Structure formats: C-alpha cells, structure tokens
Amino acid sequence: MKYLIDTANLEMITKCNDLLPIAGVTSNPSIIKKEGKIDFFAHFRKIRQIIGSEKAIHIQILAQDSEGIIREAHKILDNVDKNVYIKVPVTPQGLKAVQLLKKENIGVTATAIYNKTQGFLAMEAGADFIAPYYNRMENLDIDAADTVASFANMINAYGYETQIIAASFKNMAQVNTALACGAQLVTMAPDILLSALAVPSIKKAVDDFDDDWKKIFGNSSICDMK
Ligand code: G3P
C-alpha cells in the first residue's frame, strides 16, 4: 500500500513529506494551474529536492500525438531527472506512445482511465502504473470499485508488472475502497489524507490522555520518570 499526494504545492509537499509516509508526488496540468505560472522544470526539480531520490514523481505530458508525447517525455526527463514517471492519457495515440516509451525503458503511468478496456490495454502496452479515475467514474455511474478490482484480478491472473495507482478521489471512503479492491497505490489531494487525521475525536482522545496523566503526575513527563 502506498500513498502519493496529488499536488504541485511546495509547502504542502514539504509538510506531507515531513509528516506522512508518502511514496511520492503526482500532478497533472489542472493541478499545476493551481500554482499559477510556475517555472515548470525548476519547480519539479525543487519537488525532487524536497522528497529525495527514493520517492516517485509523476508528471503528465500535454501533447496528444505519439511523437509529441515522446518529445515532451524526453524534455521532462532531461530537465527534471531520468526517474520521473511520464503520465500519458490512455488514448489510441497515448497507447502508441506508452509502447514506444517502454521500448526506451522510460517509466510510464497510463492515466485518465475511465473504463476497464483502457486499463487492460495500458497493461498490455507495458505501463508501469495505471491510474483509474475513481471519483470521475462514480460521477458517470461507472462502478469504480469493480473496475479497480478487475485490474487487480487481471494483474494477478496474467502476471503483469503493472501496478494500480488509483486517483481522482473526493473522500477517504473512496480511497479505502480502492485499496481494498487491490489498488497498490493511491494518490489524492493532501487535504483528503490530512482530514482523516483531523477528526475531532482523535484530538479529544489525545487531550483526555494528557489530562488524566496530569491529574496524577502534574507537569512531569515520561522523560522525567525515574
Ligand atoms: O490524478 C488524477 C486526478 O488528479 C484527477 O483528479 O479530482 O480532477 O478528478 P480530479
């Protein structure tokens, strides 16, 4: 089980990287838009600096034809680093690009997945990760849980090395269901993850423990115990 954060916000990445066991950072052009007109490559180099070399960065291309996708992928790899996973929407041109990128041994995340066929074809094309859009599927009355479970079953049945990085979440119930259905990774806006830890009952429990301790030991802490 791995958690990634779907953001390009440096402050949030720094905070989450410091506090949470995150495995990396994902983004797409709509997420980047929230940061304004950033210095694109420098921004992602900064993200690499923050999260370190062990964690993953997934960056999406914009081109819609396979040649353009390959060109953009190389530009990203040359200007950020060679370990970036290139996110490619699963269209016919995208699938062509995935196969070509894999021939060059470039890491690929097949994204914008709304149905089983897209995911199956992306596995067959050799994608390292497939990113089913969980909430967007639910908005269309597509059974997102069943879609993720089908991907997991096919990966197991046929021994694909592809992993599922479920994406597009609006709440933790969706995230936890995707994990239960076999997604090895999930990516979400940091607020969704942090909100699960911000439940008032958690704070109250911690405060109650503190009060009870103080009733016996006053201001002495565990470190003051002999
Ligand atoms: O990672 C894919 C994701 O960013 C799409 O999310 O919230 O735009 O459906 P959303």
Side-chain angles (χ1 to χ4, degrees):
M1 220 171 39
K2 290 193 189 305
Y3 294 87
L4 292 94
I5 48 173
D6 210 12
T7 181
N9 183 273
L10 297 178
E11 209 176 307
M12 203 42 117
I13 292 169
T14 304
K15 176 178 172 177
C16 290
N17 189 59
D18 182 42
L19 297 174
L20 306 174
I22 61 159
V25 172
T26 55
S27 67
N28 63 34
S30 306
I31 286 170
I32 290 166
K33 179 175 163 240
K34 293 181 192 160
E35 305 308 310
K37 199 169 176 187
I38 54 170
D39 188 350
F40 187 74
F41 294 124
H43 193 90
F44 280 98
R45 287 196 296 269
K46 179 75 191 155
I47 291 176
R48 171 62 78 207
Q49 245 176 37
I50 295 168
I51 66 173
S53 58
E54 300 296 307
K55 298 186 181 181
I57 301 180
H58 301 246
I59 303 176
Q60 192 160 324
I61 48 72
L62 260 305
Q64 296 190 21
D65 63 292
S66 60
E67 282 180 14
I69 293 171
I70 307 290
R71 268 200 306 276
E72 289 186 357
H74 281 288
K75 183 89 183 180
I76 291 170
L77 297 171
D78 290 347
N79 285 278
V80 181
D81 65 54
K82 304 289 180 209
N83 295 325
V84 169
Y85 288 94
I86 304 297
K87 287 179 72 182
V88 181
V90 181
T91 60
Q93 287 289 320
L95 283 167
K96 179 175 176 182
V98 171
Q99 295 170 82
L100 292 170
L101 290 169
K102 288 317 300 174
K103 277 196 183 135
E104 293 186 58
N105 218 15
I106 290 170
V108 177
T109 300
T111 191
I113 291 178
Y114 288 81
N115 64 47
K116 292 180 187 175
T117 308
Q118 281 180 292
F120 296 156
L121 286 169
M123 286 177 205
E124 192 56 21
D128 298 280
F129 299 99
I130 51 173
Y133 274 6
Y134 201 99
N135 186 66
R136 293 193 196 196
M137 276 192 260
E138 292 204 325
N139 288 345
L140 297 171
D141 201 18
I142 297 168
D143 190 337
D146 177 59
T147 306
V148 172
S150 295
F151 293 155
N153 288 338
M154 289 302 181
I155 287 170
N156 289 335
Y158 292 101
Y160 286 107
E161 284 179 15
T162 309
Q163 291 193 298
I164 304 162
I165 174 169
S168 173
F169 292 111
K170 286 294 160 276
N171 58 63
M172 283 309 295
Q174 293 175 329
V175 173
N176 291 335
T177 305
L179 288 168
C181 289
Q184 296 92 343
L185 307 89
V186 282
T187 186
M188 77 217 73
D191 285 351
I192 295 177
L193 203 46
L194 292 169
S195 71
L197 303 171
V199 177
S201 309
I202 302 173
K203 171 93 172 78
K204 181 167 181 341
V206 172
D207 288 344
D208 287 349
F209 293 139
D210 195 53
D211 284 349
D212 287 342
W213 173 274
K214 283 192 175 122
K215 278 175 197 145
I216 310 169
F217 298 108
N219 284 330
S220 301
S221 76
I222 287 178
C223 293
D224 297 321
M225 299 289 115
K226 303 285 179 222

